């Protein structure tokens, strides 16, 4: 509920990046906490706080923001298919992580969250360099940002854009 208002105030991209970076730092803190648990009993508190922060940062950024962005990246025609594909990918990845985590944890021990930290770093870099801010922009403006061209004075429709690409 709070995310709807926060997204309009702060912007999608900034919240997404903040969430990814917070999750990355939390994953590193969980790794440190688990690795040093046998030496310092209080490291269990570090791990618990890191888990709570991981979930909080997920709920600020990578949890809801991709759904906003997917809905804004596609025009009305392909939007339902794009959301269906995004939902399938989301749940398929959740399933894979859920099924494989225990085996990976047994293999990696306390360093299991290094894998998550590495992936989060890749996701952060990708989002930083490739994902535009979509707050307050029309579909045409977002499409122009992906084409890295300036939007013409009269925004072209999707159909006009497709006709132009056929002629080229």
């Amino acid at each position: 509920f709070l995310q709807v208002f926060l997204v309009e105030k702060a912007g999608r991209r900034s919240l997404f990046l903040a969430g990814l970076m917070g999750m990355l730092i939390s994953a590193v803190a969980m790794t440190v906490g688990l690795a040093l648990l046998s030496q310092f009993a209080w490291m269990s508190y570090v791990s618990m706080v890191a888990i709570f922060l991981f979930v909080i940062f997920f709920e600020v950024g990578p949890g809801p923001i991709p759904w906003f962005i997917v809905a804004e990246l596609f025009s009305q025609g392909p939007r339902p298919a794009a959301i269906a594909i995004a939902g399938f990918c989301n749940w398929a990845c959740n399933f894979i992580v859920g099924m494989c985590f225990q085996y990976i944890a047994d293999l990696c021990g306390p360093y299991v969250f290094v894998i998550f930290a590495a992936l989060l770093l890749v996701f952060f870099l990708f989002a930083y360099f490739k994902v535009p801010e979509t707050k307050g922009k029309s579909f045409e403006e977002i499409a122009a940002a992906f084409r890295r061209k300036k939007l013409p004075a009269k925004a072209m429709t999707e159909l006009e854009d497709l006709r132009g690409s056929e002629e080229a």
Side-chain angles (χ1 to χ4, degrees):
F1 178 72
L2 181 64
Q3 185 66 10
V4 172
F5 299 109
L6 190 59
V7 131
E8 289 304 319
K9 200 80 158 154
R12 289 115 173 93
R13 184 175 185 267
S14 58
L15 284 175
F16 190 61
L17 291 172
L20 287 172
M21 186 53 67
M23 289 173 66
L24 172 65
I25 292 167
S26 298
V28 170
M30 280 189 268
T31 301
V32 170
L34 290 172
L36 299 177
L37 187 59
S38 61
Q39 296 169 344
F40 305 103
W42 54 271
M43 279 294 177
S44 62
Y45 296 111
V46 171
S47 296
M48 285 189 329
V49 168
I51 289 170
F52 291 133
L53 287 174
F54 189 92
V55 171
I56 289 168
F57 280 113
F58 177 81
E59 292 302 326
V60 166
I65 299 298
W67 299 108
F68 284 99
I69 292 174
V70 167
E72 293 170 344
L73 285 182
F74 295 93
S75 65
Q76 202 61 26
R79 187 176 297 153
I83 291 174
I85 291 168
F88 172 77
C89 291
N90 182 7
W91 284 106
C93 289
N94 287 339
F95 179 77
I96 291 167
V97 169
M99 294 303 289
C100 297
F101 182 79
Q102 189 61 50
Y103 301 110
I104 296 170
D106 291 343
L107 232 117
C108 299
Y111 302 102
V112 67
F113 292 105
V114 170
I115 297 168
F116 289 97
L119 289 172
L120 285 164
L121 179 62
V122 169
F123 299 154
F124 179 85
L125 292 173
F126 175 81
Y128 183 80
F129 290 110
K130 295 292 183 183
V131 177
E133 177 59 70
T134 59
K135 175 186 156 190
K137 293 184 180 177
S138 68
F139 168 74
E140 289 81 11
E141 291 170 320
I142 296 167
F146 276 112
R147 287 191 305 264
R148 298 282 189 236
K149 295 179 186 175
K150 291 193 177 195
L151 189 64
K154 178 194 162 274
M156 76 172 80
T157 65
E158 191 175 274
L159 184 58
E160 292 169 338
D161 186 35
L162 289 173
R163 283 188 192 140
S165 65
E166 287 175 357
E167 294 169 5

PDB file of all heavy atoms in Angstrom, residues 94-116:
ATOM      1  N   ASN A  94      11.646 -18.213  -8.764  1.00  0.00           N
ATOM      2  CA  ASN A  94      11.333 -18.488  -7.353  1.00  0.00           C
ATOM      3  C   ASN A  94      11.338 -19.989  -7.089  1.00  0.00           C
ATOM      4  O   ASN A  94      11.865 -20.454  -6.069  1.00  0.00           O
ATOM      5  CB  ASN A  94       9.963 -17.917  -6.979  1.00  0.00           C
ATOM      6  CG  ASN A  94       9.962 -16.424  -6.864  1.00  0.00           C
ATOM      7  OD1 ASN A  94      11.007 -15.796  -6.670  1.00  0.00           O
ATOM      8  ND2 ASN A  94       8.802 -15.820  -7.007  1.00  0.00           N
ATOM      9  N   PHE A  95      10.758 -20.745  -7.992  1.00  0.00           N
ATOM     10  CA  PHE A  95      10.703 -22.196  -7.856  1.00  0.00           C
ATOM     11  C   PHE A  95      12.116 -22.792  -7.870  1.00  0.00           C
ATOM     12  O   PHE A  95      12.457 -23.629  -7.037  1.00  0.00           O
ATOM     13  CB  PHE A  95       9.853 -22.793  -8.979  1.00  0.00           C
ATOM     14  CG  PHE A  95       9.769 -24.282  -8.938  1.00  0.00           C
ATOM     15  CD1 PHE A  95       8.947 -24.919  -8.021  1.00  0.00           C
ATOM     16  CD2 PHE A  95      10.517 -25.065  -9.817  1.00  0.00           C
ATOM     17  CE1 PHE A  95       8.869 -26.308  -7.976  1.00  0.00           C
ATOM     18  CE2 PHE A  95      10.440 -26.444  -9.780  1.00  0.00           C
ATOM     19  CZ  PHE A  95       9.614 -27.069  -8.853  1.00  0.00           C
ATOM     20  N   ILE A  96      12.932 -22.353  -8.820  1.00  0.00           N
ATOM     21  CA  ILE A  96      14.301 -22.875  -8.934  1.00  0.00           C
ATOM     22  C   ILE A  96      15.107 -22.565  -7.679  1.00  0.00           C
ATOM     23  O   ILE A  96      15.793 -23.438  -7.139  1.00  0.00           O
ATOM     24  CB  ILE A  96      14.985 -22.321 -10.196  1.00  0.00           C
ATOM     25  CG1 ILE A  96      14.334 -22.926 -11.444  1.00  0.00           C
ATOM     26  CG2 ILE A  96      16.481 -22.588 -10.179  1.00  0.00           C
ATOM     27  CD1 ILE A  96      14.706 -22.217 -12.742  1.00  0.00           C
ATOM     28  N   VAL A  97      15.012 -21.323  -7.194  1.00  0.00           N
ATOM     29  CA  VAL A  97      15.743 -20.954  -5.972  1.00  0.00           C
ATOM     30  C   VAL A  97      15.234 -21.779  -4.794  1.00  0.00           C
ATOM     31  O   VAL A  97      16.025 -22.305  -3.997  1.00  0.00           O
ATOM     32  CB  VAL A  97      15.622 -19.441  -5.685  1.00  0.00           C
ATOM     33  CG1 VAL A  97      16.134 -19.099  -4.288  1.00  0.00           C
ATOM     34  CG2 VAL A  97      16.384 -18.641  -6.730  1.00  0.00           C
ATOM     35  N   GLY A  98      13.916 -21.894  -4.689  1.00  0.00           N
ATOM     36  CA  GLY A  98      13.348 -22.667  -3.585  1.00  0.00           C
ATOM     37  C   GLY A  98      13.762 -24.129  -3.601  1.00  0.00           C
ATOM     38  O   GLY A  98      14.040 -24.732  -2.563  1.00  0.00           O
ATOM     39  N   MET A  99      13.832 -24.725  -4.783  1.00  0.00           N
ATOM     40  CA  MET A  99      14.184 -26.138  -4.892  1.00  0.00           C
ATOM     41  C   MET A  99      15.687 -26.378  -4.725  1.00  0.00           C
ATOM     42  O   MET A  99      16.096 -27.442  -4.251  1.00  0.00           O
ATOM     43  CB  MET A  99      13.724 -26.705  -6.240  1.00  0.00           C
ATOM     44  CG  MET A  99      12.211 -26.745  -6.403  1.00  0.00           C
ATOM     45  SD  MET A  99      11.376 -27.675  -5.115  1.00  0.00           S
ATOM     46  CE  MET A  99      11.849 -29.324  -5.534  1.00  0.00           C
ATOM     47  N   CYS A 100      16.505 -25.444  -5.146  1.00  0.00           N
ATOM     48  CA  CYS A 100      17.956 -25.659  -5.170  1.00  0.00           C
ATOM     49  C   CYS A 100      18.687 -25.074  -3.969  1.00  0.00           C
ATOM     50  O   CYS A 100      19.850 -25.421  -3.742  1.00  0.00           O
ATOM     51  CB  CYS A 100      18.545 -25.059  -6.445  1.00  0.00           C
ATOM     52  SG  CYS A 100      17.940 -25.829  -7.944  1.00  0.00           S
ATOM     53  N   PHE A 101      18.052 -24.185  -3.213  1.00  0.00           N
ATOM     54  CA  PHE A 101      18.776 -23.466  -2.167  1.00  0.00           C
ATOM     55  C   PHE A 101      19.434 -24.404  -1.151  1.00  0.00           C
ATOM     56  O   PHE A 101      20.584 -24.209  -0.795  1.00  0.00           O
ATOM     57  CB  PHE A 101      17.875 -22.461  -1.440  1.00  0.00           C
ATOM     58  CG  PHE A 101      18.614 -21.690  -0.393  1.00  0.00           C
ATOM     59  CD1 PHE A 101      19.416 -20.625  -0.761  1.00  0.00           C
ATOM     60  CD2 PHE A 101      18.543 -22.042   0.947  1.00  0.00           C
ATOM     61  CE1 PHE A 101      20.127 -19.917   0.194  1.00  0.00           C
ATOM     62  CE2 PHE A 101      19.241 -21.352   1.894  1.00  0.00           C
ATOM     63  CZ  PHE A 101      20.033 -20.278   1.525  1.00  0.00           C
ATOM     64  N   GLN A 102      18.698 -25.382  -0.700  1.00  0.00           N
ATOM     65  CA  GLN A 102      19.253 -26.274   0.320  1.00  0.00           C
ATOM     66  C   GLN A 102      20.495 -27.010  -0.177  1.00  0.00           C
ATOM     67  O   GLN A 102      21.480 -27.151   0.542  1.00  0.00           O
ATOM     68  CB  GLN A 102      18.199 -27.288   0.796  1.00  0.00           C
ATOM     69  CG  GLN A 102      18.645 -28.100   1.988  1.00  0.00           C
ATOM     70  CD  GLN A 102      18.947 -27.234   3.201  1.00  0.00           C
ATOM     71  OE1 GLN A 102      18.146 -26.392   3.592  1.00  0.00           O
ATOM     72  NE2 GLN A 102      20.103 -27.421   3.804  1.00  0.00           N
ATOM     73  N   TYR A 103      20.469 -27.452  -1.419  1.00  0.00           N
ATOM     74  CA  TYR A 103      21.628 -28.140  -1.990  1.00  0.00           C
ATOM     75  C   TYR A 103      22.818 -27.188  -2.139  1.00  0.00           C
ATOM     76  O   TYR A 103      23.961 -27.558  -1.843  1.00  0.00           O
ATOM     77  CB  TYR A 103      21.279 -28.751  -3.353  1.00  0.00           C
ATOM     78  CG  TYR A 103      20.148 -29.746  -3.272  1.00  0.00           C
ATOM     79  CD1 TYR A 103      18.908 -29.461  -3.808  1.00  0.00           C
ATOM     80  CD2 TYR A 103      20.329 -30.966  -2.632  1.00  0.00           C
ATOM     81  CE1 TYR A 103      17.869 -30.375  -3.721  1.00  0.00           C
ATOM     82  CE2 TYR A 103      19.301 -31.885  -2.549  1.00  0.00           C
ATOM     83  CZ  TYR A 103      18.074 -31.581  -3.091  1.00  0.00           C
ATOM     84  OH  TYR A 103      17.056 -32.485  -3.006  1.00  0.00           O
ATOM     85  N   ILE A 104      22.540 -25.974  -2.573  1.00  0.00           N
ATOM     86  CA  ILE A 104      23.612 -24.982  -2.717  1.00  0.00           C
ATOM     87  C   ILE A 104      24.152 -24.594  -1.346  1.00  0.00           C
ATOM     88  O   ILE A 104      25.366 -24.426  -1.172  1.00  0.00           O
ATOM     89  CB  ILE A 104      23.111 -23.756  -3.501  1.00  0.00           C
ATOM     90  CG1 ILE A 104      22.740 -24.159  -4.921  1.00  0.00           C
ATOM     91  CG2 ILE A 104      24.152 -22.647  -3.532  1.00  0.00           C
ATOM     92  CD1 ILE A 104      22.011 -23.090  -5.703  1.00  0.00           C
ATOM     93  N   ALA A 105      23.273 -24.468  -0.360  1.00  0.00           N
ATOM     94  CA  ALA A 105      23.705 -24.134   1.006  1.00  0.00           C
ATOM     95  C   ALA A 105      24.575 -25.245   1.574  1.00  0.00           C
ATOM     96  O   ALA A 105      25.577 -24.975   2.251  1.00  0.00           O
ATOM     97  CB  ALA A 105      22.492 -23.889   1.900  1.00  0.00           C
ATOM     98  N   ASP A 106      24.223 -26.487   1.317  1.00  0.00           N
ATOM     99  CA  ASP A 106      25.049 -27.608   1.778  1.00  0.00           C
ATOM    100  C   ASP A 106      26.417 -27.583   1.114  1.00  0.00           C
ATOM    101  O   ASP A 106      27.426 -27.898   1.736  1.00  0.00           O
ATOM    102  CB  ASP A 106      24.357 -28.948   1.482  1.00  0.00           C
ATOM    103  CG  ASP A 106      23.117 -29.175   2.331  1.00  0.00           C
ATOM    104  OD1 ASP A 106      22.955 -28.474   3.357  1.00  0.00           O
ATOM    105  OD2 ASP A 106      22.292 -30.039   1.947  1.00  0.00           O
ATOM    106  N   LEU A 107      26.456 -27.199  -0.140  1.00  0.00           N
ATOM    107  CA  LEU A 107      27.708 -27.146  -0.896  1.00  0.00           C
ATOM    108  C   LEU A 107      28.589 -25.962  -0.479  1.00  0.00           C
ATOM    109  O   LEU A 107      29.800 -26.115  -0.313  1.00  0.00           O
ATOM    110  CB  LEU A 107      27.392 -27.013  -2.389  1.00  0.00           C
ATOM    111  CG  LEU A 107      28.084 -28.025  -3.269  1.00  0.00           C
ATOM    112  CD1 LEU A 107      27.059 -28.873  -3.932  1.00  0.00           C
ATOM    113  CD2 LEU A 107      28.928 -27.285  -4.273  1.00  0.00           C
ATOM    114  N   CYS A 108      27.974 -24.790  -0.304  1.00  0.00           N
ATOM    115  CA  CYS A 108      28.738 -23.551  -0.053  1.00  0.00           C
ATOM    116  C   CYS A 108      28.872 -23.202   1.419  1.00  0.00           C
ATOM    117  O   CYS A 108      29.695 -22.346   1.758  1.00  0.00           O
ATOM    118  CB  CYS A 108      28.071 -22.383  -0.775  1.00  0.00           C
ATOM    119  SG  CYS A 108      27.989 -22.569  -2.546  1.00  0.00           S
ATOM    120  N   GLY A 109      28.059 -23.801   2.254  1.00  0.00           N
ATOM    121  CA  GLY A 109      28.122 -23.484   3.676  1.00  0.00           C
ATOM    122  C   GLY A 109      27.727 -22.041   3.939  1.00  0.00           C
ATOM    123  O   GLY A 109      26.767 -21.530   3.357  1.00  0.00           O
ATOM    124  N   PRO A 110      28.492 -21.353   4.803  1.00  0.00           N
ATOM    125  CA  PRO A 110      28.120 -19.982   5.166  1.00  0.00           C
ATOM    126  C   PRO A 110      28.283 -18.980   4.015  1.00  0.00           C
ATOM    127  O   PRO A 110      27.849 -17.851   4.121  1.00  0.00           O
ATOM    128  CB  PRO A 110      29.065 -19.651   6.314  1.00  0.00           C
ATOM    129  CG  PRO A 110      30.227 -20.553   6.138  1.00  0.00           C
ATOM    130  CD  PRO A 110      29.685 -21.802   5.514  1.00  0.00           C
ATOM    131  N   TYR A 111      28.890 -19.417   2.930  1.00  0.00           N
ATOM    132  CA  TYR A 111      29.139 -18.504   1.806  1.00  0.00           C
ATOM    133  C   TYR A 111      28.067 -18.591   0.723  1.00  0.00           C
ATOM    134  O   TYR A 111      28.258 -18.098  -0.381  1.00  0.00           O
ATOM    135  CB  TYR A 111      30.523 -18.785   1.211  1.00  0.00           C
ATOM    136  CG  TYR A 111      31.599 -18.626   2.249  1.00  0.00           C
ATOM    137  CD1 TYR A 111      32.173 -19.737   2.857  1.00  0.00           C
ATOM    138  CD2 TYR A 111      32.009 -17.372   2.659  1.00  0.00           C
ATOM    139  CE1 TYR A 111      33.139 -19.591   3.837  1.00  0.00           C
ATOM    140  CE2 TYR A 111      32.977 -17.212   3.640  1.00  0.00           C
ATOM    141  CZ  TYR A 111      33.539 -18.333   4.225  1.00  0.00           C
ATOM    142  OH  TYR A 111      34.485 -18.185   5.190  1.00  0.00           O
ATOM    143  N   VAL A 112      26.933 -19.190   1.047  1.00  0.00           N
ATOM    144  CA  VAL A 112      25.859 -19.369   0.075  1.00  0.00           C
ATOM    145  C   VAL A 112      25.335 -18.026  -0.430  1.00  0.00           C
ATOM    146  O   VAL A 112      24.965 -17.900  -1.595  1.00  0.00           O
ATOM    147  CB  VAL A 112      24.726 -20.233   0.662  1.00  0.00           C
ATOM    148  CG1 VAL A 112      24.004 -19.533   1.794  1.00  0.00           C
ATOM    149  CG2 VAL A 112      23.755 -20.636  -0.437  1.00  0.00           C
ATOM    150  N   PHE A 113      25.359 -17.005   0.397  1.00  0.00           N
ATOM    151  CA  PHE A 113      24.800 -15.718  -0.013  1.00  0.00           C
ATOM    152  C   PHE A 113      25.761 -14.914  -0.880  1.00  0.00           C
ATOM    153  O   PHE A 113      25.379 -13.861  -1.404  1.00  0.00           O
ATOM    154  CB  PHE A 113      24.345 -14.920   1.205  1.00  0.00           C
ATOM    155  CG  PHE A 113      23.153 -15.554   1.874  1.00  0.00           C
ATOM    156  CD1 PHE A 113      23.295 -16.248   3.056  1.00  0.00           C
ATOM    157  CD2 PHE A 113      21.901 -15.489   1.286  1.00  0.00           C
ATOM    158  CE1 PHE A 113      22.204 -16.850   3.655  1.00  0.00           C
ATOM    159  CE2 PHE A 113      20.807 -16.088   1.870  1.00  0.00           C
ATOM    160  CZ  PHE A 113      20.956 -16.769   3.067  1.00  0.00           C
ATOM    161  N   VAL A 114      26.989 -15.404  -1.064  1.00  0.00           N
ATOM    162  CA  VAL A 114      27.916 -14.755  -1.999  1.00  0.00           C
ATOM    163  C   VAL A 114      27.353 -14.865  -3.423  1.00  0.00           C
ATOM    164  O   VAL A 114      27.474 -13.932  -4.227  1.00  0.00           O
ATOM    165  CB  VAL A 114      29.330 -15.382  -1.902  1.00  0.00           C
ATOM    166  CG1 VAL A 114      30.223 -14.898  -3.018  1.00  0.00           C
ATOM    167  CG2 VAL A 114      29.945 -15.077  -0.555  1.00  0.00           C
ATOM    168  N   ILE A 115      26.706 -15.983  -3.719  1.00  0.00           N
ATOM    169  CA  ILE A 115      26.081 -16.163  -5.036  1.00  0.00           C
ATOM    170  C   ILE A 115      25.009 -15.106  -5.251  1.00  0.00           C
ATOM    171  O   ILE A 115      24.947 -14.464  -6.306  1.00  0.00           O
ATOM    172  CB  ILE A 115      25.492 -17.584  -5.172  1.00  0.00           C
ATOM    173  CG1 ILE A 115      26.598 -18.623  -5.077  1.00  0.00           C
ATOM    174  CG2 ILE A 115      24.694 -17.727  -6.458  1.00  0.00           C
ATOM    175  CD1 ILE A 115      26.107 -20.039  -4.906  1.00  0.00           C
ATOM    176  N   PHE A 116      24.179 -14.900  -4.225  1.00  0.00           N
ATOM    177  CA  PHE A 116      23.135 -13.883  -4.321  1.00  0.00           C
ATOM    178  C   PHE A 116      23.748 -12.496  -4.442  1.00  0.00           C
ATOM    179  O   PHE A 116      23.267 -11.666  -5.217  1.00  0.00           O
ATOM    180  CB  PHE A 116      22.208 -13.942  -3.104  1.00  0.00           C
ATOM    181  CG  PHE A 116      21.316 -15.146  -3.092  1.00  0.00           C
ATOM    182  CD1 PHE A 116      21.653 -16.270  -2.361  1.00  0.00           C
ATOM    183  CD2 PHE A 116      20.127 -15.154  -3.811  1.00  0.00           C
ATOM    184  CE1 PHE A 116      20.834 -17.384  -2.351  1.00  0.00           C
ATOM    185  CE2 PHE A 116      19.302 -16.268  -3.807  1.00  0.00           C
ATOM    186  CZ  PHE A 116      19.656 -17.387  -3.074  1.00  0.00           C
TER     187      PHE A 116
END
